[in-house]
Amino acid sequence: MQDSNIVLEGRGLSKRFGDLTAVDGVSVAVRRGQIAVLLGENGAGKSTYIKMLNGTLKPNGGAVYFEGQEAKFGSARHAVKRKIHTIYQNFALIDLFTVEENMRLTFPDKSAEELEKMIEQYGKAVDLDERVALLPAGIKQRLEITRALGSDAKVLLLDEPTSVLAYEERDRLFKDLARLGQERGLGILIATHKLQDVMDYCQEVVVLKGGRLVLEKPVRDTNLKELTVAMFGASEELEKAPVEAGPPSESEVVLEVRNLSVRGDNVPMAVKDVSFSIHKGEILGVIAIAGNGQLELADAVYGLRKPLKGEVAPGLAILKAGRKLRMGRVAFASDDPVQMGLAIDLSVRDNFGVSLLDQMSKGSLVDWKALEEFSKRAIDKFEIKCYTQEESLRELSGGNIQKVLVARELSRDVDVLIAVHPARGLDLHTTYLVYKNILEMARRGVSVLLISEDVDEALYLSDRLGAMYEGELSEVKAKPLWTREALGSFMTGAHVMRGEAKA
Ligand SMILES: Nc1ncnc2c1ncn2[C@@H]1O[C@H](COP(=O)(O)OP(=O)(O)OP(=O)(O)O)[C@@H](O)[C@H]1O
Ligand SMILES: [Mg+2]
């Protein structure tokens, strides 16, 4: 029987890449006024499925139906004409355009004021004249979501829309999606690896594993436990107790940041008079909502931005060993691996090679054997899903690309690690794998500066932490001295509204 509520449907879709079957005979229906979820771990086939639904990829088997008719979308552009909008995991904004120019592509008739209001619904205000290339990932995602929600779409396909949103923003997004779904009879499909995304506002869930459909149910008939097991198989890895944080260390200071102020790309000051020190083997967390200066802070500590004032001083341990604080002794897992840190057209192995050459060369010659061995170990350890180490990053899933960067930076022989939301885009299993490795690095004596937008992550990993708001860092205190509420209050600027600080 044909369900007349179904607006877009994939029937028995399959996609092969060479010998790999990325999606294997999977049917998913998107219904008017409902939110369906495509759930699965990194590499499960979610993005591939979405791209078949919108015509970017041609299926090897099965067919797509739009409003009951077989739809042969020649391209995603064709699908957009039929009012199927997609928000991709890696952004589709035009980097060289400003925020306003990007928004105008979708809303040619809205005034600047209206555009600003729309964007502000999903978080902090954004300067319309800012060039998109310079924005943090969280804000880019917000713009994409604003564009999609404001359009006249009949179907919205969202690939991991919440991966860079803070908790409140995520809740607001789901509320808005649910409301729009109801009001306009919009059909929505969300690909995600986050279980929390499924439970509150969605009606149907389909779980993919290794390209196969392993579970399909109304959300009200399932629960977190069942979904976890469907996604990952056994769940023992996830229930492991966290590694206890070490006591605040009495050990020597390895890195000291004194009264650091950093110019922003569009604001006169992105970081305002920030000071902290990190001891040997300590993890210091800085938590903030996207766009509060935390990326500029990380860049300045790494040496990618020149501070306006203040300094980043290497501690005695580094100086005694005759080293300056320089790239060689500092690992950096950046905010946006595709833009910075990785070369998307190079192979997995060569991406390891580019920043491990000091560890992997004999004289001026690359030690290919050592590099190959290293790649093999890193691929195993971080469970990177790739054919061979020669495969280009372009062919990896979003989460697996992120793993390549994290695996490389977490395997370097360094004194300091700067980790900027290291688990973004990773499924729960891999997230814990990454956390475990960061904690082990710290236990080995590496000092870690963790930049996070996720309160759970910051509390899980940090020995001491502080929150950042509009460039200012709160007091940095040992973890047990913070409550979630206090962190949240600082991150959202509630402390400012209460008139506690700031002229
Ligand atoms: N263009 C391509 N060429 C070769 N293999 C590909 C290509 N695109 C995807 N794959 C492979 O297909 C599988 C599914 O990838 P897909 O991107 O759909 O996963 P995903 O569920 O979206 O994962 P993630 O949560 O990491 O984004 C992966 O093993 C990936 O390496
Ligand atoms: Mg994906």
Side-chain angles (χ1 to χ4, degrees), residues 263-305:
R263 198 190 295 280
D265 294 313
N266 292 286
V267 291
M269 232 186 309
V271 177
K272 298 173 188 159
D273 200 27
V274 165
S275 301
F276 58 82
S277 50
I278 312 183
H279 295 257
K280 188 173 165 65
E282 185 184 43
I283 303 179
L284 187 134
V286 171
I287 170 124
I289 293 169
N292 278 287
Q294 70 270 45
L295 298 183
E296 289 85 350
L297 174 66
D299 284 355
V301 173
Y302 189 52
L304 292 175
R305 272 169 204 266

Side-chain angles (χ1 to χ4, degrees), residues 468-492:
M468 231 175 141
Y469 178 72
E470 298 204 334
E472 290 178 19
L473 182 64
S474 72
E475 194 187 341
V476 173
K477 295 191 285 196
K479 170 160 62 183
L481 301 178
W482 278 108
T483 61
R484 262 162 211 281
E485 293 65 40
L487 279 175
S489 157
F490 202 100
M491 285 164 74
T492 52

Side-chain angles (χ1 to χ4, degrees), residues 373-390:
E373 284 293 310
F374 176 93
S375 306
K376 206 161 153 293
R377 262 180 285 126
I379 289 167
D380 277 357
K381 190 161 154 195
F382 288 88
E383 300 171 17
I384 297 170
K385 285 188 189 132
C386 57
Y387 257 148
T388 68
Q389 38 176 286
E390 257 110 282

Side-chain angles (χ1 to χ4, degrees), residues 239-448:
E239 282 155 14
K240 243 183 232 156
V243 184
E244 274 303 308
S249 87
E250 295 299 314
S251 59
E252 70 228 281
V253 168
V254 171
L255 185 70
E256 195 170 348
V257 170
R258 281 189 218 120
N259 304 104
L260 200 71
S261 292
V262 183
R263 198 190 295 280
D265 294 313
N266 292 286
V267 291
M269 232 186 309
V271 177
K272 298 173 188 159
D273 200 27
V274 165
S275 301
F276 58 82
S277 50
I278 312 183
H279 295 257
K280 188 173 165 65
E282 185 184 43
I283 303 179
L284 187 134
V286 171
I287 170 124
I289 293 169
N292 278 287
Q294 70 270 45
L295 298 183
E296 289 85 350
L297 174 66
D299 284 355
V301 173
Y302 189 52
L304 292 175
R305 272 169 204 266
K306 217 167 126 83
L308 215 57
K309 250 185 42 227
E311 62 172 339
V312 178
L316 258 193
I318 294 181
L319 290 177
K320 248 196 285 179
R323 308 179 196 118
K324 282 237 165 75
L325 185 77
R326 62 181 162 82
M327 314 260 253
R329 301 299 300 171
V330 181
F332 187 61
S334 75
D335 171 50
D336 193 346
V338 177
Q339 292 288 333
M340 198 168 75
L342 295 176
I344 196 85
D345 287 310
L346 292 186
S347 67
V348 175
R349 186 195 59 204
D350 293 349
N351 269 285
F352 288 134
V354 287
S355 86
L356 290 167
L357 278 186
D358 49 340
Q359 264 168 261
M360 302 287 158
S361 45
K362 299 187 220 156
S364 58
L365 295 177
V366 177
D367 184 350
W368 289 105
K369 194 136 194 277
L371 181 55
E372 220 156 83
E373 284 293 310
F374 176 93
S375 306
K376 206 161 153 293
R377 262 180 285 126
I379 289 167
D380 277 357
K381 190 161 154 195
F382 288 88
E383 300 171 17
I384 297 170
K385 285 188 189 132
C386 57
Y387 257 148
T388 68
Q389 38 176 286
E390 257 110 282
E391 188 169 359
S392 132
L393 289 196
R394 234 174 237 299
E395 296 180 356
L396 267 48
S397 82
N400 281 292
I401 294 174
Q402 167 79 4
K403 284 191 221 172
V404 171
L405 179 80
V406 172
R408 183 184 75 198
E409 296 304 309
L410 266 51
S411 305
R412 292 175 58 191
D413 172 25
V414 291
D415 298 316
V416 177
L417 165 70
I418 301 172
V420 183
H421 7 81
R424 170 175 293 174
L426 299 183
D427 62 49
L428 205 55
H429 170 78
T430 321
T431 296
Y432 279 106
L433 206 61
V434 168
Y435 290 171
K436 191 171 131 244
N437 276 279
I438 292 179
L439 290 165
E440 278 172 11
M441 271 177 106
R443 299 302 161 259
R444 282 203 309 272
V446 176
S447 306
V448 181

